[in-house]
Amino acid sequence: MIPQAFDYHAPKTLAEAVGLLARFGDDAKALSGGQSLIPLMKLRFAGPAHLVDINGIPGLDYLQEEGSTLKIGALVRQAQLEQSPVVKAKFPLLADAVRMIADPQVRNRGTLAGNLAHGDPANDQPAVMLALGAQVVIAGSKGERTLPIDKFFIGTLTTALNAGELVKEILVPIPPANSGGAYYKIERRVGDFAIVAVGSQVTLDKSGNCQKVGIGLTNAGPTPIKATKAEAFLTGKAPSEANLTEAGRLAAEMSDPASDTRAPADYKKAMVQELTIRTLRTAVARAKGGAA
Amino acid sequence: MTAPADVSALSVVGTPVARRELAEKVTGRTRYTADLHRPGMLHGRVLRSPHPHARIVRVDASAALRLPGVHAVLTPEDAPQQPIDRDLRALEPLVRFAGEEVALVAAESEAQAEDALRAIEVVYEPLPAVLDPEAALAPGAPEVHPGGNLVGGKPLVVQRGDVAAGFAQAARIFEGTFRTQAHAPVAMETRAALAEWEGDRLTLWKTSRAVHASDRPLLARGLGIPAERIRVICTAMGGGFGNKDETRLGVLTALLARKAGRPVRVEYSRREEVLGGRNRQATVNRLRIGVRVDGTPVAIEQRSVMDAGAYISSGINVNRRTGQGALYLYTCPNARYEGHAVYTNRPAGGSFRGLGAPLGHFAVEVLADEIAAALGIDPLDYRLRHHVTAAGQPGTRVTAPDALLPDEPVEGGVPFSSNALRACLLVGAERIGWHRRRPDGAEPGERVRGLGVAMGTYKGGAGREAEAELHIAESGRVALHLGLTDVGQGSATVLAQIAAEALTLPAERIETVMADTARTPPGHVTAGSTTTFSTGEAVRRAALAAAEQLRRRAAEMLGVAAARLEAGRLISEDGRRSLALEEVAAGLGAELVTRWRWNAGSSTHIVNSFAAHFAEVEVDRRNGHIRVLRYVAAQDSGRIVNPRLAAGQVSGAVLQFLGIALREELFLDPRSGVTLNPSFLEHKSTAIVDFPAVEVLFLGEPDPVGPYGAKALGEPPVVPVFAAIANAVANAAGVRLHEVPFTPQRVLAALKAQGRLVP
């Protein structure tokens, strides 16, 4: 439980941080909340020679609405999201999910950006951001680039971030009226990583059909999964029980979970189906203005 | 036997005195073993085997010894090869489970020691391993220890009456196979030890539940030095649960310190605690119960197979206690228990709260529900008709008439000292609202609710030698010296209350000095829920003896024939003159020391504690989740010495076992033999937010044998938990669960297999 030796850097600007990351390349890791990286280092599963701590960089903890977008800076903690009136009012899916991430101590330190950049399919935020259709703004020594979230996750613990890059901010489109979302998680106990979890986001049109559907799956495969087949099936259709059930089936079909000490793969797959149905049901009820 | 004390006359016993050192603990001032430092102290770390079974061909520490800060490496070549326990040596050139100790490093910092571990080169010759008892018992299986894998060479058999004759009379025979899992006990504090040598004398600070009874003699054996040269101290324990009883860590730390020539402290990480500590053993229990037409049991037979892991440790007691439910919960003339403890190449098992009692009770209490259901009898009524009563079991006494009865009774013809099982059933049922219970599986829909009941019995504290010493200084300071450890259950508080009661003082006036071989009289292991009963009586007798001497001295000082002790004052018979206890103490001329030693027990009565538990659960029939909605624990532990601590013990016990019932399990990779989840990340223990508050009821009458009427409390409330939940699930969803833990996937599979999914 003792990390191997490393050099610690505390840059004061984003440019300085990116410069350090570029200089040390694969030998460096960016440290924000440290809730994933530090445990890996203590177990000696990760052993970066250089740690670039971005916590001292001013101006990265903004959480602000700008037009139809919610901008979330790299140092916004999960606890900030949990307490945000905007999140509560306009992002029930995110509000559901953020409360279920570990415990208050972890949420006080852990950041949304770090939760995504870690690339762990068991983390909750990737599925949420996939369902919400977020974009990731990436800073590197050569400037910035913006990537849709569904292009961000490459493999287990691997993202589209290159050596020398870090997540600068996340842009989340603010859902229009008649939208709703929900996140359900099956966990061994409160505060655990998910056995599986599903996040769904639905916008209804005037006739009550599904105009826009986003479904993200947590811990249901080697990467976070956007259940595109289920989304495509439901888009333009009425949210009837039969249609929700078919969407659940399609989401499960897209999942690719592994058996592990948490549960066997067939149970996880069955739960992807069940949770997809349940989150869609709640998302639709919320889109209609229900409190469910 | 002591006369039952009059309730109204008690002023300290029975009151919710605050736990000792609570403020120190919650403000972080308590010094646990891992908080201790000695001048020049080094940090020790342990290298562990990656193989479940291998010969160690060579250990090369030369590269490690060249690293900065490294002072010593201890290898099997350095360790004495005499056993420290029946099957255990300090370090052997052979490893028997993945995670076993291979070598140790002492360095100036923990980081240096950790780095040095990685520089030790070990050449292993892997051997075939056996990872489950069935494979271990197969002919030609690799031997974990010489002499075969069945511990002791034969199963333990305990019986009463004649089960074959009993089954011959039975109208129906019910049977089932029940499984319980391996899991980690997870005390909050991990194991630690600090060894310091002064010449040929050793002081060892250690997490321990028995500094006198196990650490010191086993250290003497393992180190090959006389026990008189060894002092063992446990400053404070961060949770024990009956589990911190192995001595290998102490021996290794002492050997490492001797080799390094400096004090050394070793503290286990959580991973090491799981691998190198002692885990709960998995068991398979085959149970048969034969009943008359009306359901009356006439024969009960249980066969248990326990996976002991690589070392038996206190698994012998676990195996024995697994039969307690079958042998003693229901009135039945014929009962037989056969327990097989089997060595495998898994991390060693050991004792843990309740020993085997909760494992065997799971089988008995679920099968009892199945019998009731098959006969169309309400499960509460079935228990009210057939539970063991105060009369004990039918049959004739086996123990010689004047001899102390054994602490784990099997014989008939001996009554209990007290038995409030009936009250526990009736009052518990009233509290949970048993009248609301519907037939099994009657509720339609996705989420269904149900009620379950289960009973438990556990030995009430008899069967241990116990000793206490009371010191009254001339200054008036009163100190209780006790060899055992307060493992976190609050024994220091409770025993001080008992001394205070006898001396008519407030509990705060009694200091407690515990778990230090240099300052306390020999004490037994803090185990088996015996402390209040056995050491409590020794405390009471020592305090009464002190009171007698104070009264005599006071009478002399007052110049009267006799004096009485009341509220800390010595008063003349006529009540006119009195002296404070301090004044009499000052007049003694020397420190007053009284001792009492006894072999706790009774020759006329079996002392057992009892419980009836009631659970209300909700089962989600689409995802298999069990939610515990309410839990009522009705306990008979005789008189409750401290209601606040006692309620905490019961709720803690139930919450701990709800977590085990629903999820905790250690997994081994079947190919590599490596434990897959030795961490809190993947071995999930209970958190306070997981379950509702436990409703605790104490329904016992003061027991005529125990001190001030007290009986065992710490373990009895864990005994019925598994079955109470399984029976509630059966009532809610109509499915029977025969394997702990009741994970969602297992519940869902049972729903599917038994045709109980939502249509």
Side-chain angles (χ1 to χ4, degrees):
Chain A
M1 291 307 284
I2 298 152
Q4 75 183 50
F6 56 87
D7 285 334
Y8 173 82
H9 308 269
K12 289 284 170 237
T13 66
L14 192 60
E16 201 188 326
V18 194
L20 285 163
L21 288 170
R23 194 170 117 211
F24 299 120
D26 287 336
D27 289 339
K29 275 293 216 182
L31 174 73
S32 58
Q35 300 304 299
S36 303
L37 179 58
I38 300 292
L40 286 183
M41 289 171 64
K42 286 173 81 172
L43 292 167
R44 297 205 177 193
F45 293 153
H50 299 273
L51 215 48
V52 180
D53 182 352
I54 64 168
N55 286 285
I57 301 173
L60 284 181
D61 60 351
Y62 53 86
L63 175 61
Q64 65 197 46
E65 286 181 88
E66 220 174 272
S68 59
T69 304
L70 181 67
K71 298 178 116 181
I72 305 173
L75 285 178
V76 170
R77 315 284 165 181
Q78 308 282 14
Q80 251 173 292
L81 296 170
E82 194 181 357
Q83 289 147 16
S84 154
V86 182
V87 170
K88 266 180 210 155
K90 298 181 178 172
F91 296 92
L93 162 57
L94 179 53
D96 277 0
V98 78
R99 286 190 309 119
M100 294 185 203
I101 296 173
D103 49 49
Q105 291 95 319
V106 169
R107 299 199 288 273
N108 282 337
R109 293 299 303 163
T111 62
L112 169 61
N115 197 288
L116 298 176
H118 188 46
D120 187 343
N123 280 355
D124 295 292
Q125 290 287 16
V128 174
M129 293 298 139
L130 283 167
L132 289 170
Q135 296 198 297
V136 184
V137 180
I138 297 168
S141 52
K142 290 177 195 129
E144 288 181 9
R145 61 190 179 111
T146 302
L147 209 60
I149 187 82
D150 55 346
K151 300 277 184 289
F152 186 72
F153 303 107
I154 309 284
T156 306
L157 303 184
T158 310
T159 66
L161 287 173
N162 297 316
E165 289 187 324
L166 54 75
V167 175
K168 184 197 160 197
E169 68 177 355
I170 296 100
L171 309 174
V172 192
I174 294 173
N178 305 320
S179 297
Y183 191 75
Y184 284 162
K185 176 169 170 174
I186 293 197
E187 50 189 354
R188 288 166 298 186
R189 47 153 268 211
V190 176
D192 189 15
F193 281 107
I195 294 174
V196 286
V198 176
S200 291
Q201 178 69 24
V202 176
T203 302
L204 299 175
D205 65 17
K206 282 187 189 117
S207 53
N209 289 335
C210 300
Q211 188 178 57
K212 197 163 185 292
V213 181
I215 302 171
L217 313 181
T218 298
N219 220 10
T223 63
I225 292 168
K226 187 168 162 65
T228 48
K229 280 189 201 168
E231 293 173 354
F233 167 79
L234 203 54
T235 304
K237 291 200 180 66
S240 64
E241 272 299 306
N243 285 337
L244 299 193
T245 302
E246 177 61 9
R249 195 189 66 77
L250 289 166
E253 199 176 284
M254 285 194 74
S255 71
D256 182 20
S259 292
D260 57 22
T261 60
R262 292 175 199 169
D266 62 342
Y267 178 78
K268 293 182 182 179
K269 229 174 162 71
M271 288 308 104
V272 169
Q273 176 163 348
E274 184 58 29
L275 294 190
T276 302
I277 298 167
R278 289 190 188 186
T279 50
L280 285 169
R281 223 182 263 151
T282 306
V284 168
R286 284 173 171 169
K288 288 177 178 163
Chain B
M1 198 189 298
T2 59
D6 177 8
V7 188
S8 58
L10 299 179
S11 56
V12 188
V13 163
T15 63
V17 169
R19 175 188 287 270
R20 306 215 139 196
E21 281 152 24
L22 188 59
E24 285 81 353
K25 281 191 175 173
V26 298
T27 53
R29 279 177 290 158
T30 301
R31 310 295 284 173
Y32 296 92
T33 306
D35 298 319
L36 305 175
H37 281 269
R38 300 296 300 165
M41 187 185 85
L42 302 173
H43 297 270
R45 304 283 293 167
V46 184
L47 182 69
R48 296 182 178 279
S49 166
H51 303 289
H53 197 193
R55 215 180 309 284
I56 297 170
V57 179
R58 190 159 46 83
V59 180
D60 182 353
S62 53
L65 283 164
R66 283 195 298 272
L67 289 174
V70 176
H71 285 250
V73 175
L74 189 78
T75 71
E77 285 184 12
D78 304 310
Q81 287 301 310
Q82 67 263 34
I84 49 177
D85 209 341
R86 54 189 287 162
D87 52 12
L88 184 69
R89 287 166 173 79
L91 289 178
E92 274 188 74
L94 181 79
V95 284
R96 296 187 175 85
F97 66 89
E100 181 156 16
E101 295 83 342
V102 171
L104 286 91
V105 172
E108 280 162 30
S109 75
E110 283 186 273
Q112 286 169 333
E114 185 72 32
D115 288 342
L117 287 185
R118 287 166 167 74
I120 300 175
E121 281 179 47
V122 184
V123 178
Y124 296 95
E125 180 198 334
L127 300 170
V130 282
L131 300 176
D132 68 80
E134 205 180 321
L137 291 177
E143 289 192 343
V144 180
H145 294 276
N149 293 330
L150 183 59
V151 178
K154 57 181 193 323
L156 168 76
V157 176
V158 188
Q159 55 193 331
R160 171 177 70 245
D162 178 348
V163 281
F167 280 117
Q169 297 164 22
R172 291 182 71 173
I173 295 173
F174 293 84
E175 53 195 322
T177 300
F178 299 83
R179 291 164 197 277
T180 64
Q181 79 276 37
H183 66 87
V186 295
M188 218 192 297
E189 174 202 35
T190 58
R191 284 164 166 78
L194 195 175
E196 181 173 40
W197 292 87
E198 283 169 277
D200 62 359
R201 306 186 76 84
L202 170 70
T203 304
L204 185 84
W205 292 263
K206 182 176 173 284
T207 46
S208 170
R209 62 173 189 160
V211 294
H212 290 278
S214 55
D215 284 298
R216 190 154 73 152
L218 295 181
L219 277 161
R221 210 194 298 179
L223 298 168
I225 62 170
E228 297 73 44
R229 288 199 219 134
I230 302 169
R231 178 181 181 186
V232 187
I233 305 165
C234 177
T235 53
M237 276 267 270
F241 307 123
N243 186 246
K244 284 175 178 161
D245 60 340
E246 48 75 42
T247 307
R248 192 180 208 174
L249 172 62
V251 175
L252 289 173
T253 308
L255 290 169
L256 186 62
R258 190 158 71 182
K259 191 162 188 204
R262 303 254 295 256
V264 174
R265 192 183 72 204
V266 180
E267 182 192 359
Y268 277 3
S269 66
R270 182 58 56 185
R271 176 176 174 273
E272 292 183 286
E273 179 69 16
V274 175
L275 297 176
R278 291 290 179 264
N279 295 310
R280 166 66 94 196
Q281 306 87 343
T283 62
V284 180
N285 292 287
R286 178 99 192 127
L287 185 70
R288 294 173 76 215
I289 302 181
V291 298
R292 295 188 196 281
V293 179
D294 67 353
T296 304
V298 287
I300 301 179
E301 186 174 40
Q302 182 185 352
R303 182 182 189 274
S304 182
V305 177
M306 180 184 94
D307 183 343
Y311 298 98
I312 185 66
S313 175
S314 32
I316 295 278
N317 305 327
V318 177
N319 184 34
R320 182 179 173 90
R321 210 67 71 90
T322 304
Q324 206 168 41
L327 292 167
Y328 240 77
L329 195 56
Y330 288 91
T331 304
C332 182
N334 309 298
R336 183 176 192 275
Y337 171 71
E338 182 179 310
H340 303 247
V342 184
Y343 284 125
T344 64
N345 293 109
R346 292 181 70 114
S351 59
F352 172 59
R353 204 170 194 173
L355 296 169
L359 318 178
H361 270 75
F362 168 53
V364 173
E365 280 300 79
V366 170
L367 197 59
D369 248 42
E370 292 178 21
I371 294 170
L375 300 179
I377 305 171
D378 177 281
L380 175 66
D381 290 338
Y382 185 79
R383 287 174 172 81
L384 285 168
R385 284 181 215 173
H386 301 299
H387 72 78
V388 69
T389 66
Q393 293 291 346
T396 32
R397 177 172 172 140
V398 178
T399 305
D402 295 330
L404 275 188
L405 286 155
D407 59 332
E408 292 163 48
V410 286
E411 62 207 274
V414 188
F416 288 108
S417 53
S418 56
N419 176 348
L421 201 39
R422 190 170 189 83
C424 290
L425 285 167
L426 291 171
V427 181
E430 178 72 27
R431 171 64 83 96
I432 196 96
W434 189 258
H435 61 89
R436 296 179 292 128
R437 186 177 180 277
R438 307 168 59 169
D440 289 348
E443 213 180 318
E446 190 172 283
R447 288 178 207 183
V448 290
R449 295 184 170 199
L451 294 173
V453 59
M455 306 186 295
T457 186
Y458 199 76
K459 79 166 195 180
R464 298 275 186 184
E465 205 161 78
E467 187 163 355
E469 209 173 85
L470 191 88
H471 295 232
I472 300 181
E474 288 173 88
S475 64
R477 168 184 180 265
V478 185
L480 195 51
H481 289 235
L482 303 161
L484 42 72
T485 310
D486 185 337
V487 297
Q489 86 277 42
S491 57
T493 310
V494 164
L495 296 173
Q497 278 180 266
I498 290 175
E501 185 69 52
L503 289 167
T504 73
L505 292 172
E508 301 73 43
R509 275 290 312 278
I510 316 290
E511 279 183 43
T512 37
V513 177
M514 297 175 81
D516 178 344
T517 56
R519 298 181 66 201
T520 62
H524 63 70
V525 184
T526 299
S529 303
T530 62
T531 296
T532 303
F533 182 91
S534 60
T535 305
E537 179 63 9
V539 167
R540 192 179 75 93
R541 298 293 197 117
L544 289 175
E548 172 60 23
Q549 296 207 34
L550 289 171
R551 279 197 300 270
R552 250 188 260 155
R553 180 67 190 127
E556 283 169 23
M557 290 167 75
L558 292 168
V560 296
R564 64 178 191 270
L565 177 59
E566 212 175 281
R569 291 191 75 78
L570 283 299
I571 305 167
S572 65
E573 271 179 317
D574 59 10
R576 290 197 183 155
R577 300 174 57 205
S578 73
L579 290 165
L581 185 141
E582 293 78 1
E583 294 174 271
V584 181
L588 285 167
E591 187 181 53
L592 170 64
V593 179
T594 54
R595 268 186 208 94
W596 190 269
R597 186 188 181 98
W598 77 309
N599 200 346
S602 159
S603 55
T604 52
H605 290 83
I606 296 168
V607 184
N608 264 33
S609 289
F610 297 93
H613 286 193
F614 295 82
E616 181 167 14
V617 303
E618 181 180 83
V619 180
D620 186 322
R621 288 204 286 162
R622 286 198 196 276
N623 67 22
H625 253 265
I626 298 169
R627 199 152 69 91
V628 181
L629 304 172
R630 278 185 70 196
Y631 200 99
V632 174
Q635 303 290 138
D636 168 16
S637 288
R639 187 199 304 285
I640 300 307
V641 178
N642 185 320
R644 176 152 56 180
L645 291 188
Q649 278 286 297
V650 177
S651 355
V654 171
L655 293 174
Q656 185 175 34
F657 273 64
L658 284 175
I660 298 162
L662 296 189
R663 65 177 84 90
E664 291 180 36
E665 185 160 11
L666 280 175
F667 296 99
L668 212 68
D669 177 9
R671 279 169 307 149
S672 66
V674 168
T675 299
L676 294 169
N677 56 339
S679 71
F680 279 160
L681 188 60
E682 295 301 329
H683 183 282
K684 287 296 175 191
S685 304
T686 295
I688 199 73
V689 288
D690 288 322
F691 299 112
V694 177
E695 299 166 53
V696 180
L697 307 170
F698 291 115
L699 298 165
E701 296 290 324
D703 185 84
V705 181
Y708 296 111
K711 293 194 290 189
L713 177 71
E715 293 169 278
V718 309
V719 175
V721 179
F722 298 162
I725 296 297
N727 291 342
V729 170
N731 181 232
V735 291
R736 297 288 169 187
L737 301 172
H738 282 200
E739 185 166 6
V740 189
F742 316 132
T743 57
Q745 57 267 28
R746 199 166 270 157
V747 173
L748 199 64
L751 287 163
K752 211 174 278 179
Q754 296 174 40
R756 305 295 309 185
L757 284 175
V758 191

